[in-house]
Amino acid sequence: MISFEQALSELLSLAKQLESEMASIEDASGRILASDAIATHNQPPFDASAMDGYALQKSDKLPNKKLSVIGRVAAGGLFDGSINKNQAVRIFTGAPLPAGADSVLIQEDAEVNEDNIVINDNIDANDYIRKKGDDYKKGEVLLQRGKTLKSFDIALLASMNFPLVNVIRRPLVSIISTGDELVYPGNLPTNNQIVASNTFGLNSLVNKWGANGHILPISRDNKSSINKALDLAVPADLVITIGGASVGDHDYIKDVFRDKNITTSFYKVAMKPGKPILAGKNKDTIFIGLPGNPVSALVCAHLFIKPLIGKMLGTNELANIEKQAILLNDLPANGERKHFMRGFKKDGFIEIFSKQDSSLLSILQKANSLVIRAPNEPALKKGNQIGYFELD
Ligand code: AMP
Ligand code: MG
């Protein structure tokens, strides 16, 4: 049995960053940027008016001053000429500032006559000019590779005039449930059957983490059925089996991995939940056998599969970062396996649920944190500080 840390590092060493591809900007939200986004123009590209009003020379912006209006320019247009002393050009928001002008008088500050304006007594001193390059300059790195693209990133990329964005390909993840007792949601289970659940939670997680998950038909508890499912699953970047990973008479995953020439990196990890977990690789596909208990499967997914997908996507945003909180309950001494206990954190305090059985999905559903207990850690008291990972 190997430690959790060793298992995670072995697993991550199997993965490499996937290739990049071009995505249309409409489809790039949530994707991982594959190369730095560098501005190819100044933004704004020209000095522009920030208000509707009159472009003029700042030295003319005086109370009661009369200026002759020599033209007009709206957004998308151009005033073909230049402004001199005692002159103004009617201007609208977004229009390029005419040559010779260095200020904008807002329209509320002018009294309009036929072909001239008279400036009011009280003037807004602001120049209302959006200077060329004020937002960003040509050559500036605005977004760095490895970033998950959010809506505001998309807006920025669009302003940079990128209709296509270079992103990392989504890892393809095949999910195989195994068990004679399982049916998928929507079927009528007989008395001795149960509905597969963690399969769908896992698919939801891998999709959330940026992969492209798909669920294969249920394999039954025999080698030939699991073998066929694995054949269907490849070529995926990652194949995850659920269940059948321990050492019972009906647990065949380990044998089938061997038959399929999957070089196993580890089998059994000194952790709770999730001791029977194995991982290996064949050609370019990584295989992970998760335990079947719903909580074990989903907790192990958080601990192992989330950072693994992060490595494939070339982002560190999916690494589990240990944080600290204050315990709201006493905890007994831990056993010899690292224990990830389900709890709820609020305002810096964390409550550990009294029921920690790895089959209890209703408890996992209420949890937002995994409290980390080191092997053989002594008992802890309410008020002690404790490390935890956030759950998605
Ligand atoms: P196993 O790891 O195959 O020994 O399964 C451990 C427990 O998890 C058994 O009670 C299984 O019925 C249950 N189980 C296995 N796979 C699933 C699944 N996909 N969804 C819900 N429960 C499962
Ligand atoms: Mg089973």
Side-chain angles (χ1 to χ4, degrees):
M1 211 152 44
I2 66 170
S3 71
F4 164 71
E5 291 75 15
Q6 222 179 322
L8 180 60
S9 122
E10 298 255 349
L11 178 66
L12 294 181
S13 74
L14 299 179
K16 55 179 190 326
Q17 189 185 310
L18 300 179
E19 333 74 77
S20 64
E21 63 185 12
M22 298 311 276
S24 79
I25 190 157
E26 295 94 327
D27 296 330
S29 196
R31 305 292 301 270
I32 306 291
L33 195 62
S35 45
D36 292 350
I38 302 169
T40 55
H41 64 260
N42 293 304
Q43 181 68 12
F46 44 82
D47 290 353
S49 178
M51 293 295 259
D52 293 338
Y54 296 87
L56 40 56
Q57 294 188 353
K58 199 176 168 71
S59 55
D60 276 344
K61 210 176 187 182
L62 300 168
N64 305 315
K65 173 112 197 180
K66 186 175 173 183
L67 302 173
S68 54
V69 178
I70 58 167
R72 62 189 276 138
V73 59
L78 186 72
F79 177 71
D80 194 13
S82 160
I83 292 180
N84 292 310
K85 204 153 178 48
N86 301 323
Q87 293 181 332
V89 164
R90 179 75 167 119
I91 197 164
F92 298 90
T93 307
L97 197 69
D102 56 0
S103 190
V104 170
L105 177 81
I106 58 171
Q107 60 190 25
E108 292 81 351
D109 285 353
E111 192 193 299
V112 186
N113 304 311
E114 291 262 287
D115 56 356
N116 62 69
I117 54 166
V118 179
I119 301 181
N120 291 347
D121 284 346
N122 291 320
I123 319 164
D124 187 336
N126 200 319
D127 287 323
Y128 292 111
I129 295 172
R130 294 183 195 139
K131 296 295 280 181
K132 173 179 174 177
D134 205 22
D135 197 358
Y136 53 81
K137 305 228 166 7
K138 183 176 174 177
E140 233 178 281
V141 177
L142 296 179
L143 295 169
Q144 292 192 326
R145 58 192 283 254
K147 181 169 199 318
T148 305
L149 296 174
K150 308 270 190 317
S151 308
F152 295 167
D153 302 321
I154 299 291
L156 187 59
L157 288 165
S159 85
M160 294 166 81
N161 201 6
F162 293 130
L164 297 171
V165 186
N166 191 23
V167 294
I168 305 289
R169 175 171 72 76
R170 285 182 196 278
L172 193 58
V173 179
S174 298
I175 300 174
I176 301 171
S177 323
T178 71
D180 286 343
E181 74 282 27
L182 299 178
V183 295
Y184 276 154
N187 292 286
L188 294 174
T190 57
N191 284 339
N192 45 9
Q193 289 182 316
I194 62 160
V195 182
S197 54
N198 54 34
T199 318
F200 296 86
L202 182 63
N203 186 57
S204 160
L205 283 173
V206 301
N207 283 324
K208 175 179 177 149
W209 295 329
N212 199 347
H214 68 116
I215 295 173
L216 289 168
I218 295 168
S219 293
R220 298 307 171 191
D221 284 324
N222 61 74
K223 285 195 196 181
S224 127
S225 179
I226 300 169
N227 245 302
K228 280 184 198 144
L230 287 182
D231 287 339
L232 290 176
V234 174
D237 300 294
L238 174 63
V239 175
I240 307 171
T241 62
I242 304 169
S246 46
V247 288
D249 288 350
H250 302 275
D251 294 324
Y252 297 109
I253 295 296
K254 191 164 185 288
D255 291 350
V256 177
F257 275 21
R258 198 188 320 106
D259 296 346
K260 285 262 176 254
N261 293 321
I262 297 164
T263 317
T264 308
S265 291
F266 59 83
Y267 172 58
K268 285 192 183 171
V269 179
M271 64 186 283
K272 198 174 151 182
K275 180 171 87 170
I277 171 170
L278 66 162
K281 192 170 185 179
N282 179 348
K283 304 204 179 93
D284 284 334
T285 304
I286 296 174
F287 293 80
I288 297 179
L290 291 180
N293 261 317
V295 176
S296 311
L298 296 174
V299 165
C300 285
H302 252 276
L303 295 170
F304 291 107
I305 294 169
K306 186 179 177 189
L308 181 70
I309 290 175
K311 175 130 189 232
M312 290 174 166
L313 288 171
T315 176
N316 51 23
E317 290 175 19
L318 294 176
N320 289 305
I321 308 288
E322 185 170 335
K323 298 182 176 169
Q324 300 289 317
I326 304 294
L327 268 178
L328 283 177
N329 23 12
D330 295 347
L331 290 178
N334 191 27
E336 56 191 17
R337 288 189 271 154
K338 190 161 188 156
H339 194 177
F340 296 94
M341 303 182 85
R342 278 71 72 203
F344 187 79
K345 196 214 115 198
K346 197 178 166 208
D347 302 334
F349 294 90
I350 207 156
E351 182 200 345
I352 314 290
F353 300 139
S354 54
K355 288 180 171 173
Q356 290 288 327
D357 188 278
S358 58
S359 64
L360 305 177
L361 261 186
S362 62
I363 302 285
L364 182 69
Q365 186 273 332
K366 291 186 179 69
N368 64 6
S369 311
L370 274 184
V371 161
I372 307 160
R373 304 220 46 207
N376 302 313
E377 186 179 78
L380 292 173
K381 289 267 173 229
K382 175 178 176 176
N384 285 163
Q385 187 163 300
I386 191 136
Y388 71 96
F389 292 144
E390 266 171 18
L391 284 171
D392 284 323

